Amino acid sequence: MTSAEQTPERPDGVTAPDASDAPARRGRVRARRAAVMAVPAALAAASLAVLTAQGALGVQFAISGMPFTVTATELNGTGFAQFGGLDEMAEGSPNAGDTGGQVLVVTSVIKNATLSKLCQSVDLGGTNLVIRAGEGAQKVTASDLTTDSTELTGDAAFNNIEIGNDASTLDKAGPKGRGPKGVFSQQSDTVHIANLRQTNYATTAGVFKLPGLKLGFSGSGC
């Protein structure tokens, strides 16, 4: 009997795949998962890595794919959560480049936040759209503030921090502060960040109050 005749068949007549291909396929799948989830979610001294390929959309809309900068001299928040995620652009977006229309992000959620001297800018190519608020006595306030970032720097302090949680079990930032099951995360009762600077792809909030709002164009961003 030839080797071809010895190939096992399933009851439906379809030839069963060669078992020797299985390790290679599993290796490719694992490699893809590792590539997707190798996201440094650094905040102060804590380095977070997403451990599954199941990304979470921190925001439920298609992002433009244009990053914007956010700065504040000080951020104070109660109910903080952070985990890795995956944001997606609209199909056929001209900003997709070689990303496939996807951006790996760090999703940060704060139940209640105040920010001093908030500045937000986006480079439109030759000019910047700049928004400023909270530069006087009144601070910017936000509830259920969610940011999807690729970079975050500042001097941070946390109260009662927990690192290594399954993102689906987070409870300090409320329902919006929960990520997908199996994803590495952290949470704390409070967060304080001085000299905050973020590169964001999306921001949402339940309520966002911007006292002293100023919007205009400038040759430089935040």
mmCIF file of all heavy atoms in Angstrom, residues 68-88:
data_model
loop_
_atom_site.group_PDB
_atom_site.id
_atom_site.type_symbol
_atom_site.label_atom_id
_atom_site.label_comp_id
_atom_site.label_asym_id
_atom_site.label_seq_id
_atom_site.Cartn_x
_atom_site.Cartn_y
_atom_site.Cartn_z
ATOM 1 N N PHE A 68 -2.674 62.671 19.232
ATOM 2 C CA PHE A 68 -2.693 64.021 19.775
ATOM 3 C C PHE A 68 -2.010 64.031 21.135
ATOM 4 O O PHE A 68 -1.954 63.014 21.835
ATOM 5 C CB PHE A 68 -4.118 64.579 19.862
ATOM 6 C CG PHE A 68 -5.093 63.735 20.628
ATOM 7 C CD1 PHE A 68 -5.350 63.988 21.975
ATOM 8 C CD2 PHE A 68 -5.786 62.703 20.010
ATOM 9 C CE1 PHE A 68 -6.265 63.220 22.693
ATOM 10 C CE2 PHE A 68 -6.706 61.934 20.720
ATOM 11 C CZ PHE A 68 -6.947 62.193 22.052
ATOM 12 N N THR A 69 -1.469 65.186 21.469
ATOM 13 C CA THR A 69 -0.713 65.339 22.710
ATOM 14 C C THR A 69 -1.590 65.968 23.782
ATOM 15 O O THR A 69 -2.349 66.904 23.510
ATOM 16 C CB THR A 69 0.522 66.223 22.476
ATOM 17 O OG1 THR A 69 1.367 65.611 21.505
ATOM 18 C CG2 THR A 69 1.313 66.425 23.766
ATOM 19 N N VAL A 70 -1.481 65.461 25.003
ATOM 20 C CA VAL A 70 -2.186 66.027 26.159
ATOM 21 C C VAL A 70 -1.164 66.257 27.262
ATOM 22 O O VAL A 70 -0.376 65.362 27.588
ATOM 23 C CB VAL A 70 -3.298 65.099 26.661
ATOM 24 C CG1 VAL A 70 -3.913 65.656 27.953
ATOM 25 C CG2 VAL A 70 -4.374 64.909 25.606
ATOM 26 N N THR A 71 -1.167 67.465 27.820
ATOM 27 C CA THR A 71 -0.303 67.759 28.960
ATOM 28 C C THR A 71 -1.119 68.404 30.067
ATOM 29 O O THR A 71 -2.175 68.995 29.824
ATOM 30 C CB THR A 71 0.858 68.704 28.572
ATOM 31 O OG1 THR A 71 0.321 69.982 28.203
ATOM 32 C CG2 THR A 71 1.680 68.135 27.424
ATOM 33 N N ALA A 72 -0.632 68.276 31.284
ATOM 34 C CA ALA A 72 -1.235 68.943 32.444
ATOM 35 C C ALA A 72 -0.158 69.069 33.507
ATOM 36 O O ALA A 72 0.692 68.176 33.643
ATOM 37 C CB ALA A 72 -2.429 68.162 32.986
ATOM 38 N N THR A 73 -0.171 70.176 34.218
ATOM 39 C CA THR A 73 0.824 70.329 35.278
ATOM 40 C C THR A 73 0.554 69.364 36.425
ATOM 41 O O THR A 73 1.485 68.957 37.124
ATOM 42 C CB THR A 73 0.839 71.769 35.811
ATOM 43 O OG1 THR A 73 -0.474 72.113 36.278
ATOM 44 C CG2 THR A 73 1.261 72.748 34.724
ATOM 45 N N GLU A 74 -0.716 68.987 36.569
ATOM 46 C CA GLU A 74 -1.062 68.072 37.664
ATOM 47 C C GLU A 74 -2.371 67.362 37.355
ATOM 48 O O GLU A 74 -3.318 67.973 36.859
ATOM 49 C CB GLU A 74 -1.191 68.843 38.977
ATOM 50 C CG GLU A 74 -1.410 67.974 40.200
ATOM 51 C CD GLU A 74 -1.454 68.795 41.486
ATOM 52 O OE1 GLU A 74 -2.310 69.699 41.588
ATOM 53 O OE2 GLU A 74 -0.628 68.537 42.371
ATOM 54 N N LEU A 75 -2.399 66.069 37.619
ATOM 55 C CA LEU A 75 -3.625 65.276 37.533
ATOM 56 C C LEU A 75 -3.835 64.560 38.855
ATOM 57 O O LEU A 75 -2.905 63.942 39.399
ATOM 58 C CB LEU A 75 -3.544 64.245 36.407
ATOM 59 C CG LEU A 75 -4.739 63.298 36.245
ATOM 60 C CD1 LEU A 75 -4.927 62.889 34.783
ATOM 61 C CD2 LEU A 75 -4.597 62.019 37.095
ATOM 62 N N ASN A 76 -5.044 64.644 39.386
ATOM 63 C CA ASN A 76 -5.424 63.898 40.585
ATOM 64 C C ASN A 76 -6.687 63.113 40.269
ATOM 65 O O ASN A 76 -7.633 63.653 39.675
ATOM 66 C CB ASN A 76 -5.670 64.838 41.770
ATOM 67 C CG ASN A 76 -4.378 65.409 42.326
ATOM 68 O OD1 ASN A 76 -3.605 64.712 42.971
ATOM 69 N ND2 ASN A 76 -4.128 66.685 42.056
ATOM 70 N N GLY A 77 -6.702 61.843 40.653
ATOM 71 C CA GLY A 77 -7.860 61.026 40.353
ATOM 72 C C GLY A 77 -8.170 60.029 41.450
ATOM 73 O O GLY A 77 -7.292 59.603 42.206
ATOM 74 N N THR A 78 -9.444 59.680 41.541
ATOM 75 C CA THR A 78 -9.884 58.607 42.438
ATOM 76 C C THR A 78 -10.498 57.507 41.584
ATOM 77 O O THR A 78 -11.251 57.776 40.659
ATOM 78 C CB THR A 78 -10.926 59.112 43.450
ATOM 79 O OG1 THR A 78 -12.062 59.659 42.750
ATOM 80 C CG2 THR A 78 -10.342 60.191 44.346
ATOM 81 N N GLY A 79 -10.145 56.268 41.905
ATOM 82 C CA GLY A 79 -10.620 55.131 41.130
ATOM 83 C C GLY A 79 -9.865 55.012 39.823
ATOM 84 O O GLY A 79 -10.303 55.494 38.788
ATOM 85 N N PHE A 80 -8.687 54.363 39.864
ATOM 86 C CA PHE A 80 -7.806 54.289 38.710
ATOM 87 C C PHE A 80 -7.648 52.847 38.243
ATOM 88 O O PHE A 80 -7.506 51.930 39.056
ATOM 89 C CB PHE A 80 -6.428 54.855 39.076
ATOM 90 C CG PHE A 80 -5.363 54.614 38.032
ATOM 91 C CD1 PHE A 80 -5.297 55.401 36.894
ATOM 92 C CD2 PHE A 80 -4.436 53.596 38.198
ATOM 93 C CE1 PHE A 80 -4.314 55.169 35.934
ATOM 94 C CE2 PHE A 80 -3.448 53.366 37.250
ATOM 95 C CZ PHE A 80 -3.388 54.158 36.109
ATOM 96 N N ALA A 81 -7.676 52.642 36.909
ATOM 97 C CA ALA A 81 -7.443 51.323 36.324
ATOM 98 C C ALA A 81 -6.647 51.492 35.039
ATOM 99 O O ALA A 81 -6.765 52.506 34.353
ATOM 100 C CB ALA A 81 -8.761 50.613 36.033
ATOM 101 N N GLN A 82 -5.841 50.462 34.697
ATOM 102 C CA GLN A 82 -5.028 50.531 33.490
ATOM 103 C C GLN A 82 -4.788 49.132 32.942
ATOM 104 O O GLN A 82 -4.478 48.198 33.690
ATOM 105 C CB GLN A 82 -3.687 51.206 33.781
ATOM 106 C CG GLN A 82 -2.863 51.522 32.534
ATOM 107 C CD GLN A 82 -1.563 52.187 32.882
ATOM 108 O OE1 GLN A 82 -0.713 51.582 33.537
ATOM 109 N NE2 GLN A 82 -1.391 53.432 32.480
ATOM 110 N N PHE A 83 -4.947 49.010 31.620
ATOM 111 C CA PHE A 83 -4.722 47.714 30.958
ATOM 112 C C PHE A 83 -4.433 47.961 29.482
ATOM 113 O O PHE A 83 -4.644 49.059 28.959
ATOM 114 C CB PHE A 83 -5.950 46.798 31.111
ATOM 115 C CG PHE A 83 -7.265 47.452 30.794
ATOM 116 C CD1 PHE A 83 -7.770 47.483 29.504
ATOM 117 C CD2 PHE A 83 -8.013 48.054 31.807
ATOM 118 C CE1 PHE A 83 -8.980 48.092 29.221
ATOM 119 C CE2 PHE A 83 -9.226 48.663 31.530
ATOM 120 C CZ PHE A 83 -9.711 48.683 30.229
ATOM 121 N N GLY A 84 -3.949 46.958 28.807
ATOM 122 C CA GLY A 84 -3.619 47.079 27.397
ATOM 123 C C GLY A 84 -4.847 46.927 26.520
ATOM 124 O O GLY A 84 -5.846 46.313 26.905
ATOM 125 N N GLY A 85 -4.782 47.504 25.323
ATOM 126 C CA GLY A 85 -5.925 47.423 24.420
ATOM 127 C C GLY A 85 -5.516 47.594 22.975
ATOM 128 O O GLY A 85 -4.338 47.760 22.650
ATOM 129 N N LEU A 86 -6.498 47.569 22.113
ATOM 130 C CA LEU A 86 -6.286 47.667 20.680
ATOM 131 C C LEU A 86 -7.366 48.569 20.095
ATOM 132 O O LEU A 86 -8.547 48.266 20.184
ATOM 133 C CB LEU A 86 -6.365 46.271 20.060
ATOM 134 C CG LEU A 86 -6.006 46.134 18.583
ATOM 135 C CD1 LEU A 86 -4.534 46.419 18.368
ATOM 136 C CD2 LEU A 86 -6.338 44.718 18.100
ATOM 137 N N ASP A 87 -6.949 49.705 19.519
ATOM 138 C CA ASP A 87 -7.890 50.611 18.870
ATOM 139 C C ASP A 87 -7.845 50.390 17.364
ATOM 140 O O ASP A 87 -6.795 50.043 16.805
ATOM 141 C CB ASP A 87 -7.542 52.067 19.184
ATOM 142 C CG ASP A 87 -7.999 52.489 20.566
ATOM 143 O OD1 ASP A 87 -8.658 51.681 21.243
ATOM 144 O OD2 ASP A 87 -7.692 53.624 20.967
ATOM 145 N N GLU A 88 -8.979 50.624 16.697
ATOM 146 C CA GLU A 88 -9.060 50.381 15.266
ATOM 147 C C GLU A 88 -9.542 51.620 14.523
ATOM 148 O O GLU A 88 -10.425 52.337 14.985
ATOM 149 C CB GLU A 88 -10.003 49.205 14.983
ATOM 150 C CG GLU A 88 -9.520 47.895 15.585
ATOM 151 C CD GLU A 88 -10.230 46.692 15.011
ATOM 152 O OE1 GLU A 88 -10.577 46.718 13.822
ATOM 153 O OE2 GLU A 88 -10.426 45.731 15.754
#
